[in-house]
Amino acid sequence: MRIVFLGPPGAGKGTQAARLMERHGIPQLSTGDMLRAAVKAGTPVGLKAKAIMEQGGLVPDAIVVGIVAERFMEPDAAKGFILDGFPRTVGQAEALDLALEHRGLKLDAVLELEVDPKVLVDRIERRAADTRAAGGTVRPDDTPEVVSKRLATYHEQTAPVSSYYAGSNRLKAIDGMAPIEAVAESIDAALAAPAH
Ligand code: AMP
């Protein structure tokens, strides 16, 4: 099963994608995680991405599309994958369609977690506080200023991706305001429903 998860920062994509990964035995491919790993390792991609990520902007499409297209050809993704945090621009969505088409593949579902923008900042602040309390390292882009910028970037550049998928009848909206278990149930129901 090949799934795309859309939704703003703090919508719960990571949490729900991790659950689906266990349930379906397919990997969660998070471009944010891949880029953070590249930054940590100091690779050429990481060096280009670091400052952009720290400011809450988007890493150029060509870089991100390249790492995703390589990643989904790895053996663990043969049965499918869950894309978390990608595509974030219409250009990335088009490139993903093309890359899949070249390999004779297609997406099974595009799920969008819909959340009231007013709760997102609180959720991200809570995530940072929980991480701190657990003795972990808080993401450098989880500061209030960068979170605002990330949300603005989302509304400007990523919101149109929903229309792209809605236009081809592939979008399934999920109420992301419900408790985690209820959101998980809605996702299971959406995935079980026949494709359009
Ligand atoms: P995330 O962990 O998904 O919140 O991503 C963290 C940061 O990585 C984002 O704020 C962007 O700077 C960068 N990033 C992650 N995924 C993408 C993507 N698909 N396109 C461009 N930049 C991305």
Side-chain angles (χ1 to χ4, degrees), residues 31-32 35-36 52-53 57-59 64 85-86 88 92 139 141 150:
T31 42
L35 291 167
R36 276 184 288 277
I52 300 171
M53 292 172 75
L58 289 186
V59 175
V64 189
F86 178 93
R88 260 178 156 97
Q92 291 178 16
R139 280 172 50 170
D141 60 351
R150 283 164 59 207

Side-chain angles (χ1 to χ4, degrees), residues 79-104:
K79 280 202 309 174
F81 49 75
I82 304 152
L83 284 170
D84 162 13
F86 178 93
R88 260 178 156 97
T89 64
V90 172
Q92 291 178 16
E94 289 170 344
L96 174 63
D97 276 344
L98 268 182
L100 288 170
E101 203 181 305
H102 279 149
R103 294 163 176 87

Side-chain angles (χ1 to χ4, degrees), residues 8-58:
K13 298 186 298 293
T15 305
Q16 296 296 338
R19 182 183 159 278
L20 283 181
M21 172 170 82
E22 271 197 16
R23 197 179 160 89
H24 295 279
I26 50 178
Q28 168 191 8
L29 309 186
S30 154
T31 42
D33 285 350
M34 294 181 216
L35 291 167
R36 276 184 288 277
V39 169
K40 203 168 163 202
T43 66
V45 163
L47 293 176
K48 282 194 199 122
K50 188 170 187 286
I52 300 171
M53 292 172 75
E54 280 171 357
Q55 287 158 24
L58 289 186

Side-chain angles (χ1 to χ4, degrees), residues 14-187:
T15 305
Q16 296 296 338
R19 182 183 159 278
L20 283 181
M21 172 170 82
E22 271 197 16
R23 197 179 160 89
H24 295 279
I26 50 178
Q28 168 191 8
L29 309 186
S30 154
T31 42
D33 285 350
M34 294 181 216
L35 291 167
R36 276 184 288 277
V39 169
K40 203 168 163 202
T43 66
V45 163
L47 293 176
K48 282 194 199 122
K50 188 170 187 286
I52 300 171
M53 292 172 75
E54 280 171 357
Q55 287 158 24
L58 289 186
V59 175
D61 286 357
I63 293 182
V64 189
V65 167
I67 58 175
V68 171
E70 267 178 31
R71 179 66 186 86
F72 73 59
M73 291 313 285
E74 286 179 26
D76 66 333
K79 280 202 309 174
F81 49 75
I82 304 152
L83 284 170
D84 162 13
F86 178 93
R88 260 178 156 97
T89 64
V90 172
Q92 291 178 16
E94 289 170 344
L96 174 63
D97 276 344
L98 268 182
L100 288 170
E101 203 181 305
H102 279 149
R103 294 163 176 87
L105 305 172
K106 66 180 184 57
L107 295 173
D108 295 291
V110 179
L111 305 172
E112 178 171 31
L113 284 180
E114 294 183 327
V115 178
D116 181 345
K118 289 197 281 279
V119 308
L120 295 172
V121 176
D122 275 359
R123 282 192 181 188
I124 296 171
E125 277 174 5
R126 209 174 325 127
R127 172 168 80 190
D130 288 348
T131 305
R132 224 175 275 121
T137 310
V138 174
R139 280 172 50 170
D141 60 351
D142 270 353
T143 60
E145 304 74 46
V146 184
V147 167
S148 308
K149 178 66 178 47
R150 283 164 59 207
L151 290 170
T153 302
Y154 178 83
H155 290 296
E156 282 158 22
Q157 302 194 58
T158 307
V161 175
S162 307
S163 314
Y164 173 80
Y165 287 119
S168 47
N169 270 336
R170 289 183 284 176
L171 191 70
K172 295 181 179 194
I174 306 288
D175 174 11
M177 296 293 285
I180 291 178
E181 261 320 302
V183 175
E185 278 169 24
S186 312
I187 289 172

